């Protein structure tokens, strides 16, 4: 039963939205599947995205080498301002993402991060070890983000370029390299997770996770936590808070987490590395429910927000 539930988050081939010659009906079919996935789960896995495996493998390998450096060497690339404030390296013990939900006393997550916020260009902090691979990855996956916005517009009966202005100029995208240590010899603390239960803050998150070391679990409608199955050539995509607001609750910003493996298990004896591309509209974007998602039966249910204000509140709450 658990295996069947794990497969419940659907896999969608989005390749028709890269194909200039694709028929309107083929696009409508994919858009319907996209709408169903995000209305039901707030998650989907995608293939047909066009990102070369070599680009994924290159960044994964470079990031692994970076996190194998000593703590002192890694701290040379820290802004010292906390997670999300200025990018760069964040060591263990600084981030407690559960505090952004309703777990005010959540303990720090068992993760260290490196974050790029400005297309892997100055003023980003730029370690030589990962710059080339991170730039290639950012370029490729930002293209996937554009694709998902066009797909979403189709699914919501909007014009193809509806979201373009919101993401123009300086969109709030970020690339997070998340390294979860092996638990042997680690002082995890009571209740610690690799990454606590939370929703994402902005638009779509595009996650690559090692298919041999999966960890992301989604909270289902009946309260069960279920893992999301994936493959090396697939991304896991989930909707953030602003997507739920934009769609007036039609699409869900779903709670998810990376649990701590059972002590003594094979998973606890290995580290885990994920590549996370957060997408979001520019900070000055005014986000309110879209007209096609409002009806007499489903009136507007969300207060409008400035995208940057919402992101800042969440990031401040996540720092210990």
């Amino acid at each position: 039963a658990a295996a069947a539930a794990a497969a419940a988050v659907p896999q969608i081939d989005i390749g028709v939205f890269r194909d200039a010659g694709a028929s309107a009906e083929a696009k409508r079919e994919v858009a319907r599947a996209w709408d169903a996935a995000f209305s039901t789960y707030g998650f989907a896995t995608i293939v047909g995205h066009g990102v070369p495996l070599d680009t994924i493998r290159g960044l994964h390998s470079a990031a692994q080498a970076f996190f194998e450096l000593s703590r002192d060497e890694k701290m040379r690339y820290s802004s010292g301002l906390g997670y999300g404030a200025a990018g760069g390296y964040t060591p263990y013990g600084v981030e407690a993402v559960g505090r952004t939900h309703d777990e005010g006393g959540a303990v720090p997550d068992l993760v260290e991060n490196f974050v790029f916020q400005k297309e892997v260009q100055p003023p980003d902090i730029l370690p030589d070890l990962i710059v080339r691979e991170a730039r290639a990855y950012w370029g490729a996956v930002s293209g996937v983000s554009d694709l998902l916005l066009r797909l979403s517009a189709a699914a919501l009966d909007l014009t193809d370029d509806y979201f373009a202005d919101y993401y123009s100029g300086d969109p709030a995208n970020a690339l997070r390299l998340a390294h979860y240590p092996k638990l042997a010899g680690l002082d995890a603390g009571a209740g610690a997770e690799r990454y606590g239960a939370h929703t994402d803050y902005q638009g779509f998150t595009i996650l690559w996770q090692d298919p041999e070391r999966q960890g992301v679990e989604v909270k289902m409608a009946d309260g069960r936590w279920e893992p999301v199955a994936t493959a090396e050539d697939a991304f896991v995509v989930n909707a953030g808070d602003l997507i739920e607001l934009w769609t007036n609750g039609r699409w869900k910003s779903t709670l998810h987490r990376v649990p701590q493996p059972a002590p003594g298990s094979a998973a606890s004896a290995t580290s885990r590395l994920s590549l996370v591309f957060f997408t979001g509209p520019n900070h000055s974007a005014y986000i309110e429910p879209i007209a096609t998602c409002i009806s007499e039966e489903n009136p507007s249910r969300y207060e409008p927000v400035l995208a940057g204000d919402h992101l800042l509140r969440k990031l401040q709450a996540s720092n210990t």
Side-chain angles (χ1 to χ4, degrees), residues 14 17-18 30-31 34 38 46 141-169 171-173 202-206 237-240 242-244 246-247 251 277-282 285 287 290:
I14 64 172
F17 279 83
R18 297 173 47 233
V30 173
W34 192 250
F38 284 90
I46 60 168
V141 180
S142 63
V144 177
S145 173
D146 294 342
L147 203 67
L148 298 185
L149 294 176
R150 290 197 292 111
L151 168 54
S152 296
L156 297 169
D157 299 315
L158 302 166
T159 58
D160 188 65
D161 62 350
Y162 180 87
F163 294 103
D165 283 349
Y166 293 98
Y167 285 78
S168 65
N173 295 343
Q202 304 185 87
F204 290 111
T205 300
I206 304 169
V237 178
N238 65 279
L242 297 184
I243 299 292
E244 181 171 310
W246 251 326
T247 62
W251 292 356
F277 194 80
F278 296 112
T279 75
N282 61 64
I287 311 299
I290 296 165

Side-chain angles (χ1 to χ4, degrees), residues 194-212:
R194 277 184 157 171
Y195 211 53
H198 65 288
T199 61
D200 286 349
Y201 314 151
Q202 304 185 87
F204 290 111
T205 300
I206 304 169
L207 163 71
W208 183 88
Q209 61 175 0
D210 187 336
E212 301 301 318

Side-chain angles (χ1 to χ4, degrees), residues 4 8 31 93 201 220 241 281 297 300:
Y201 314 151
M220 297 298 196
D241 297 341
E297 298 76 28
S300 180

